Amino acid sequence: HEYNLAYGTEQGDALLCHIADMARNNFARNACTARIYAGHFVTLDEAEDLSIIIDKVKSIGNTLSSPQPNITVMLIFGIYPVVDRSLP
């Protein structure tokens, strides 16, 4: 929301597309990324090893750059592994 107020909806849309491209390029083809609200996203992905997901998250963090030079885009990730696959 603040980004749109500062730079306009066109630039805000460009940032959202940039984030979507990064998710598409870093997570598995069958992963699902969704925008929950404002600048909050969630991704559902699977991997045999947690380190694979951590590497993907680091890759996104390393490549994210804001389209505007005077604004910082911050990523905060939480990883919630499924430890009991027998649960529905």
Side-chain angles (χ1 to χ4, degrees):
H1 178 73
E2 291 87 13
Y3 193 90
N4 283 349
L5 291 176
Y7 300 103
T9 55
E10 188 174 318
Q11 288 297 318
D13 289 348
L15 179 60
L16 292 175
C17 289
H18 183 62
I19 293 169
D21 287 341
M22 284 189 310
R24 190 177 304 112
N25 292 331
N26 285 281
F27 291 108
R29 179 178 278 269
N30 62 343
C32 179
T33 299
R35 179 176 176 216
I36 299 173
Y37 64 93
H40 298 259
F41 297 83
V42 63
T43 297
L44 178 61
D45 197 0
E46 64 179 323
E48 292 297 319
D49 189 318
L50 185 59
S51 66
I52 295 169
I53 299 293
I54 291 170
D55 288 344
K56 291 176 182 183
V57 169
K58 285 181 180 179
S59 177
I60 290 173
N62 290 336
T63 60
L64 182 64
S65 60
S66 173
Q68 298 294 332
N70 296 328
I71 192 165
T72 300
V73 177
M74 182 175 35
L75 298 178
I76 300 171
F77 283 89
I79 299 173
Y80 303 95
V82 176
V83 294
D84 184 355
R85 294 192 179 263
S86 68
L87 297 174

